[in-house]
Amino acid sequence: MRGVDIRIDKQIPMGGGLGGGSSDAATVLLALNYLWQLGASQAELQALALPLGADVPVFVSGQNAFAEGVGEALSPVNLPAAWYLIIHPGVAVPTAGIFKSKDLRRDTPLINPSRWSAALDRGVGANDLEAVASMLYPEVAQALGWLRDQP
């Protein structure tokens, strides 16, 4: 029987919405597959990853992707190089709480993954989770407001 002891020194704040825990889970699956020479395919690892979290499969893939369903249907996308500013509003936002909210929109029109970037350029599409997170956590709304006020 194989076993493993894992210790993680996490530097990303819990509940920060940056996928730190999901990335850790995917890395463990990939590492054990390699170390134990299991030979599991990417698809097999992604199937194992999904019950661990909706965004774990994208971290197994190791590339930018448009995710559909609950995170299991991935279409690779090419993204231009970009700079990102990360702000921690001083509050943890549990993803499960956002998805359970009665205020979360569930009627957003689908976007074709191959036309995703062009749709965003035309102002089509939005982050449906943002409104709920802002409503439940005023600190998030304040941070987003500050960002929108920047040039």
Side-chain angles (χ1 to χ4, degrees), residues 98 104-105 108 120 125-133 144 148:
I98 303 298
L104 179 61
R105 283 189 63 179
T108 301
L120 288 181
N127 180 348
D128 291 340
L129 305 179
E130 183 180 310
V132 177
L144 290 169
R148 287 186 184 98

Side-chain angles (χ1 to χ4, degrees), residues 8 10 26 29 36 52 56-57 60 62-63 66 83 89-90 107-108 124-126 142 149:
I8 297 174
K10 191 174 175 93
L29 288 173
W36 292 344
L52 301 176
V56 180
V60 168
Q63 60 186 0
F66 186 92
W83 288 89
D107 61 349
T108 301
V124 177
Q142 183 180 6
D149 290 342

Side-chain angles (χ1 to χ4, degrees), residues 27 32 45 63 91 93 121 124 127 130 133 147:
T27 300
L32 294 179
L45 291 174
Q63 60 186 0
V91 63
V93 180
D121 291 342
V124 177
N127 180 348
E130 183 180 310
L147 277 172

Side-chain angles (χ1 to χ4, degrees), residues 96-111:
I98 303 298
F99 278 103
K100 289 178 183 175
S101 172
K102 63 178 177 26
D103 296 309
L104 179 61
R105 283 189 63 179
R106 301 186 191 283
D107 61 349
T108 301
L110 295 177
I111 297 173

Side-chain angles (χ1 to χ4, degrees), residues 83-97:
W83 288 89
Y84 296 93
L85 174 65
I86 299 172
I87 296 177
H88 188 281
V91 63
V93 180
T95 306

